[in-house]
Amino acid sequence: MKERIEEKDILRFENEYKSNDKYLAMRNAVSKHGINDIVYNIDEAAKMSFKFSLEIPTMPATNQKASGRCWIFAGLNLLREKVGKKYNLENFEISQNYIAFWDKFEKINYMLESIIETADREADDRTVSWILSTGIQDGGQWDMFVNILKKYGAVPKDAMPESFHSSNTGSMNQWLNHKLREDAAVLRRTIAEKGIEEAYKVKENMLSEMYRILCICFGVPPKSFDFEYVDKNKKYYAYRNITPKQFLDEFVGDTLDEYVSIINAPTKDKPFEKTYTVKFLGNVKEGRKILYLNLSINEMKKLIIKQLKDGEIVWFGSDVGKYGDREKGIWDDKSYSIGEGLGISFGITKEEQLDYRDSKMTHAMVITGVNLIEDGSADRWKIENSWGDDRGNKGYYIISDTWFDRYVYQAVINKKYLTDEQQKMLKIEPIALNPWDPMGSLANL
């Protein structure tokens, strides 16, 4: 046994590399082209036909631009279909900026509260370090989306359109987090020197500053607005002086409590058919906790197909950083022969991907269709994304069923499709996971 790399080792590795013409050919190929382009398997990709046996008509694709608000766009893409169907609209968007504003503001309060809650711990405590290093992000989870809508309602996009910084959040987030970490230091110092009551007075001033910054960057959220639209029959309608809560209740429909997040996390620490939450993960402090019901991948797909067959699209979360072509709009693990190209093999399981931090949920989208084969199982899925209509098939994408098995981690399902036993599990106190657990990841691409 030896710990160091020796010169004879390097010589052996080099000889092994140079002795195989395949590796040299690959080296020449990738000198001018990316590896993914070189190993693209056209025969497998050709099987990803953009035709589906079950397909729900949906509106044109939206565009989150240079922001990590995919979970908000996916959620609102789901809700706008309800509005469109109810009012006979060809195209319609609910303001993503409005939801993002209140999400940011609530996350700021949530972070400051987490700092106060952990003020008795050392700054290098793992939980404190996680809170500080994570800061506030664009990303989120389904239950966080629900919390914002239930507290603040919603508005049409016309009532609070996009701003530069709502669509390009990088620099704004940098300065918000810079200030929040300074605020964290002030809060911890104030608690140590003057006590908790004084800290809450200081916190109120911090929130006032943050609200001001968000208004500058996003605009001021409207308290009331006029809802005007023209339907498919070119008929004009106008509803005057509506509040965001009224718009949600009367025009969108407040059915959010009917849905639950199901996950597929096949790890030993998360048995199936049990519920989970994540410590220190949320936005609205008084809102509902993150809640997951962990199911097998086959059970997850069965529930998704049930919902699609009833004509309702499905919010879901996956790891889009693996085996994908954003321009063609394909995610398929078989369309990339990366192992053959590099002379290696990949045998990592989904359980190991999670345990060894190779994969996690990174992006939320909406499932709008599926191709069912003779035995009733799926071989590919149609996806509505929020990266604009200049990619994929006018903003719509396709994922293979094998990719689904490996990289889909979460879906939002109407509770009515769950079994009686699964519904009973939702009433049991969930198992609390650590903040850094892979299931605590946010959709932020």
Side-chain angles (χ1 to χ4, degrees):
M1 183 176 68
K2 59 184 179 182
E3 297 178 350
R4 60 191 296 268
I5 297 173
E6 297 179 356
E7 186 175 350
K8 64 179 181 180
D9 298 320
I10 296 173
L11 182 61
R12 178 168 61 86
F13 301 152
E14 183 178 345
N15 287 335
E16 288 174 357
Y17 164 69
K18 289 182 176 180
S19 66
N20 192 317
D21 292 341
K22 175 183 174 181
Y23 303 149
L24 296 177
M26 189 66 178
R27 164 66 183 137
N28 290 333
V30 300
S31 66
K32 288 191 175 183
H33 304 278
I35 289 178
N36 284 353
D37 292 332
I38 298 300
V39 301
Y40 187 67
N41 189 325
I42 188 63
D43 293 328
E44 288 294 335
K47 298 176 183 178
M48 293 293 100
S49 171
F50 218 88
K51 298 177 179 66
F52 307 89
S53 62
L54 173 58
E55 188 172 4
I56 300 171
T58 44
M59 295 181 188
T62 54
N63 194 341
Q64 68 190 70
K65 297 188 178 178
S67 74
R69 301 171 294 162
C70 57
W71 59 291
I72 293 174
F73 274 73
L76 294 180
N77 284 345
L78 189 154
L79 295 183
R80 71 174 177 153
E81 296 298 336
K82 296 178 182 289
V83 179
K85 187 174 182 180
K86 186 176 180 180
Y87 296 98
N88 195 31
L89 302 180
E90 187 172 354
N91 195 8
F92 177 70
E93 288 187 48
I94 301 171
S95 174
Q96 302 92 357
N97 187 15
Y98 179 83
I99 303 300
F101 179 101
W102 291 119
D103 172 66
K104 274 281 192 291
F105 191 54
E106 289 287 349
K107 278 177 180 168
I108 288 166
N109 181 63
Y110 196 97
M111 179 177 173
L112 295 177
E113 281 295 312
S114 298
I115 290 297
I116 291 172
E117 185 177 339
T118 58
D120 60 337
R121 308 187 192 187
E122 296 295 327
D124 65 351
D125 171 84
R126 186 171 185 182
T127 297
V128 177
S129 295
W130 181 88
I131 294 167
L132 293 172
S133 61
T134 302
I136 61 162
Q137 306 177 32
D138 292 346
Q141 282 279 354
W142 172 258
D143 289 311
M144 296 162 72
F145 175 72
V146 173
N147 282 339
I148 296 299
L149 271 95
K150 291 184 76 67
K151 183 169 182 177
Y152 294 102
V155 305
K157 191 166 188 174
D158 290 345
M160 190 171 179
E162 292 288 287
S163 70
F164 174 84
H165 278 294
S166 69
S167 297
N168 300 270
T169 55
S171 60
M172 177 191 64
N173 287 341
Q174 177 185 2
W175 292 113
L176 285 173
N177 282 307
H178 180 61
K179 183 59 178 173
L180 277 169
R181 290 174 183 123
E182 177 184 305
D183 289 348
V186 171
L187 279 177
R188 287 170 61 90
R189 185 166 62 247
T190 301
I191 291 171
E193 296 175 357
K194 299 180 180 180
I196 193 73
E197 290 187 12
E198 186 63 28
Y200 271 100
K201 294 177 184 177
V202 172
K203 180 196 154 190
E204 188 172 345
N205 290 331
M206 293 173 176
L207 288 175
S208 177
E209 289 180 339
M210 290 295 176
Y211 183 85
R212 178 170 69 246
I213 295 170
L214 293 178
C215 287
I216 291 170
C217 292
F218 286 177
V220 181
K223 293 184 173 63
S224 64
F225 56 92
D226 295 337
F227 178 34
E228 300 175 283
Y229 66 90
V230 177
D231 68 12
K232 292 179 182 178
N233 299 321
K234 308 304 179 185
K235 190 173 180 180
Y236 170 82
Y237 296 86
Y239 299 86
R240 305 298 181 188
N241 200 32
I242 299 169
T243 68
K245 291 297 291 292
Q246 284 177 318
F247 181 72
L248 177 66
D249 295 341
E250 297 175 19
F251 294 89
V252 180
D254 189 4
T255 59
L256 296 168
D257 288 333
E258 297 175 9
Y259 295 85
V260 64
S261 285
I262 59 174
I263 59 171
N264 175 241
T267 53
K268 292 182 177 61
D269 63 330
K270 301 179 191 70
F272 291 144
E273 304 292 335
K274 293 188 180 297
T275 55
Y276 301 87
T277 189
V278 182
K279 301 173 187 175
F280 292 99
L281 181 65
N283 53 2
V284 178
K285 190 62 181 177
E286 72 276 17
R288 73 189 199 185
K289 293 179 180 178
I290 299 295
L291 180 67
Y292 305 132
L293 173 62
N294 195 19
L295 301 175
S296 70
I297 194 67
N298 288 335
E299 183 68 11
M300 172 185 276
K301 289 192 283 189
K302 183 171 74 173
L303 292 171
I304 291 172
I305 291 170
K306 280 185 179 181
Q307 188 159 308
L308 291 173
K309 284 183 174 179
D310 274 356
E312 186 172 352
I313 59 181
V314 179
W315 187 106
F316 82 109
S318 61
D319 181 1
V320 297
K322 305 292 195 300
Y323 298 102
D325 186 321
R326 297 191 178 192
E327 298 304 318
K328 293 184 176 68
I330 295 174
W331 281 290
D332 176 32
D333 50 311
K334 293 182 179 179
S335 291
Y336 295 88
S337 303
I338 188 71
E340 294 176 12
L342 297 179
I344 56 178
S345 62
F346 293 105
I348 191 169
T349 65
K350 192 171 188 178
E351 176 184 9
E352 291 167 338
Q353 286 176 176
L354 291 169
D355 283 342
Y356 290 90
R357 304 307 191 262
D358 181 64
S359 180
K360 62 182 180 180
M361 193 266 288
T362 60
H363 187 52
M365 300 178 286
V366 178
I367 301 173
T368 66
V370 61
N371 192 60
L372 300 175
I373 55 180
E374 289 76 10
D375 64 358
S377 62
D379 67 353
R380 57 186 183 271
W381 305 76
K382 183 184 178 186
I383 307 302
E384 178 183 357
N385 204 349
S386 54
W387 291 344
D389 60 6
D390 59 341
R391 299 177 182 182
N393 190 331
K394 295 183 179 179
Y396 283 78
Y397 292 64
I398 185 171
I399 63 176
S400 69
D401 193 57
T402 54
W403 190 93
F404 189 111
D405 288 345
R406 293 182 66 178
Y407 298 114
V408 170
Y409 293 107
Q410 183 178 0
V412 173
I413 296 295
N414 193 304
K415 295 175 185 176
K416 68 182 180 182
Y417 300 114
L418 302 180
T419 66
D420 291 342
E421 286 302 312
Q422 289 167 348
Q423 294 202 36
K424 287 179 184 177
M425 283 305 306
L426 300 179
K427 300 176 182 178
I428 297 175
E429 185 68 20
I431 298 166
L433 304 173
N434 287 319
W436 45 86
D437 189 277
M439 289 300 108
S441 64
L442 300 178
N444 63 358
L445 290 181

